[in-house]
Amino acid sequence: MAVLNQKSVLDMIKDFRRNWHALCDSERTTVCGADSMLLALQLSMAENNKQHSGEFTVSLSDVLWTWKYLLHEKLNLPVENMEVIDHYEDIRRTYDNFLKNSNMLDLIDVYKKCSVLTSNCENNANISPVKLLAKKIIYSYLNLLVNSKNDLALAHILNIPDRGLGREAFTDLKHAAREKQMSIFLVATSFIRTIELGGKGYAPSPSDPLRTHIKGLSNFINFIDKLDEILGEISNPSIAGSRILSVIKMQLIKGHNSKGPFYKAVEEVAQDLDLRIKNIISSQQGDVAVSTTNISPARPKSYAINHGTAYCGRDTVKTFLVLLDEEAAGAPTENKAELLYDDENTSHHNGTSILTLFRRCKFICWKTNNWNKFWKCSSGQK
């Protein structure tokens, strides 16, 4: 993408934020950076293979080959001499739908909308793997807080720290989300709310697979609720941002050795982001006439940023969006295999790759004389 290095990617995203009402449907739309684009493409290709061959998997070489073709096609670069992978149109359609359903736009879509693109971004090459992991986890929490439809962000943090919500729990949530045509987070939230309401009229079906994960899901939803409460109750974005980062940090380092690398990495990242938030707020206050996102201080209409959010949390959400935009503008990961597939260095904290989490099992339900419903998982079958 070096040919596009003419102006800062971050400046481009700021232009997008200033004109969001003319470029997208929601002020909370988040930008899908290069790494997330590649992950979304991998999932789309695996889904396509599932439909045509029955296996939810895809090789690294096919992903990288299609990645190159996708970039050329989206940027209107020559593709005549490039070999097209089978069912590319289906893959592209799945990719576009995944981003749309996740309320995200990828960098190239933002570029095409703004007609500007750059690369004046932070280089993560010199950051240790464990600090990059801590950074990804904390950013994913902030991303989900801003954009609850972001299934990629949720996949990164659902079981970090360990809540007993591994691949089986994610598979059950994903099945329910597809069936109800809702985001994974909304499915989890709705399920826990019905449990909390109590009473036969509200209780989920006894055969609901999510019942197996009540404890872990309750832990996760209640933690996000805690972050939302801070967002809604503290009007000062600097204080709210610091408090939210502190709560996330304490959740992540709980039970870890204070001298361990993950503990130190989480503390460093939280401190760095806290300082960055204060710098962003200072910069915004220095330009009273035109804010970073050009959002009117007047109470917004229903489609604006406080839709579903307490009014006093608007400034904090705007600050988080700037922070997330900066991350989306960052340089992509050099080691694509490490990004896309299981990595031994991060398995202790991350568990499984995104591809593995999104790989679905088929649940076959049948009745017998002695059983109401019994769910069986046949791995690798649709």
Side-chain angles (χ1 to χ4, degrees):
M1 297 175 70
V3 67
L4 301 169
N5 296 338
Q6 300 172 0
K7 195 178 179 287
S8 166
V9 174
L10 197 51
D11 286 345
M12 172 196 72
I13 298 176
K14 288 179 180 178
D15 288 340
F16 166 74
R17 291 294 173 204
R18 280 193 288 269
N19 300 283
W20 72 270
H21 53 280
L23 301 175
C24 64
D25 297 327
S26 170
E27 195 173 10
R28 284 189 176 224
T29 297
T30 45
V31 179
C32 186
D35 285 352
S36 293
M37 288 173 64
L38 193 55
L39 284 167
L41 178 62
Q42 180 195 35
L43 295 177
S44 301
M45 295 181 68
E47 176 66 24
N48 181 72
N49 287 342
K50 179 78 172 182
Q51 298 296 327
H52 291 93
S53 66
E55 294 292 331
F56 189 85
T57 187
V58 60
S59 69
L60 175 62
S61 59
D62 283 350
V63 174
L64 296 182
W65 181 264
T66 308
W67 171 247
K68 182 178 179 180
Y69 188 91
L70 175 72
L71 295 181
H72 276 69
E73 182 192 50
K74 288 177 71 71
L75 292 168
N76 298 318
L77 298 175
V79 295
E80 291 80 6
N81 297 324
M82 299 180 67
E83 183 179 348
V84 184
I85 196 168
D86 292 342
H87 310 295
Y88 174 77
E89 291 184 0
D90 293 337
I91 294 170
R92 176 64 191 275
R93 189 178 304 111
T94 303
Y95 173 86
D96 291 339
N97 287 337
F98 181 85
L99 294 189
K100 181 179 179 181
N101 293 335
S102 297
N103 191 26
M104 293 193 292
L105 287 174
D106 70 29
L107 278 175
I108 298 179
D109 288 333
V110 174
Y111 162 63
K112 293 167 89 172
K113 289 177 180 291
C114 298
S115 299
V116 180
L117 185 63
T118 65
S119 178
N120 182 28
C121 39
E122 177 184 357
N123 189 345
N124 289 326
N126 297 322
I127 301 179
S128 68
V130 69
K131 188 170 181 178
L132 281 175
L133 174 63
K135 189 176 179 181
K136 178 190 292 184
I137 294 169
I138 294 178
Y139 268 106
S140 294
Y141 271 109
L142 298 181
N143 211 317
L144 188 66
L145 196 59
V146 169
N147 177 13
S148 62
K149 293 182 179 180
N150 192 330
D151 288 349
L152 271 182
L154 180 138
H156 283 304
I157 59 176
L158 181 64
N159 200 37
I160 299 180
D162 186 5
R163 301 181 175 95
L165 299 175
R167 182 183 173 189
E168 181 182 350
F170 189 86
T171 298
D172 291 339
L173 284 169
K174 188 63 180 174
H175 272 290
R178 284 177 176 268
E179 180 181 339
K180 298 177 181 179
Q181 296 185 336
M182 297 160 59
S183 71
I184 297 177
F185 179 75
L186 185 55
V187 165
T189 302
S190 299
F191 175 76
I192 294 302
R193 295 290 183 260
T194 58
I195 294 292
E196 292 174 344
L197 283 172
K200 293 183 179 179
Y202 296 101
S205 167
S207 62
D208 192 328
L210 295 182
R211 280 188 169 275
T212 309
H213 318 294
I214 288 178
K215 183 178 180 180
L217 289 176
S218 179
N219 178 291
F220 178 70
I221 296 303
N222 289 336
F223 181 69
I224 300 299
D225 282 347
K226 186 175 183 179
L227 301 181
D228 256 325
E229 288 175 6
I230 298 171
L231 188 66
E233 293 175 357
I234 301 177
S235 59
N236 186 311
S238 178
I239 297 175
S242 293
R243 185 76 58 83
I244 287 171
L245 286 173
S246 176
V247 170
I248 294 173
K249 180 188 74 173
M250 296 306 297
Q251 179 83 346
L252 294 178
I253 64 177
K254 185 178 181 181
H256 285 272
N257 188 323
S258 60
K259 296 182 179 179
F262 185 71
Y263 189 106
K264 292 181 178 179
V266 170
E267 283 199 320
E268 289 176 7
V269 171
Q271 185 177 3
D272 291 345
L273 294 185
D274 188 31
L275 178 60
R276 182 62 199 131
I277 285 174
K278 288 177 170 56
N279 289 337
I280 290 171
I281 294 169
S282 177
S283 175
Q284 290 174 331
Q285 291 174 343
D287 188 0
V288 178
V290 181
S291 71
T292 304
T293 54
N294 200 30
I295 299 173
S296 169
R299 185 175 292 271
K301 297 181 180 179
S302 59
Y303 56 73
I305 208 163
N306 74 325
H307 183 56
T309 303
Y311 176 70
C312 67
R314 290 184 66 237
D315 288 340
T316 305
V317 171
K318 289 195 297 180
T319 303
F320 284 164
L321 279 170
V322 175
L323 197 66
L324 294 169
D325 289 346
E326 291 179 348
E327 177 65 10
T333 300
E334 293 184 5
N335 190 332
K336 307 304 182 188
E338 183 177 300
L339 170 70
L340 298 174
Y341 297 92
D342 292 333
D343 176 24
E344 296 177 355
N345 295 325
T346 62
S347 60
H348 175 70
H349 303 288
N350 208 19
T352 52
S353 69
I354 296 299
L355 178 67
T356 301
L357 282 178
F358 275 84
R359 183 179 289 122
R360 306 194 312 278
C361 304
K362 179 181 178 183
F363 287 88
I364 306 172
C365 175
W366 72 91
K367 293 183 179 180
T368 67
N369 293 332
N370 300 321
W371 303 85
N372 271 337
K373 286 187 177 181
F374 180 78
W375 293 89
K376 178 181 179 182
C377 176
S378 303
S379 181
Q381 302 177 18
K382 186 178 178 183

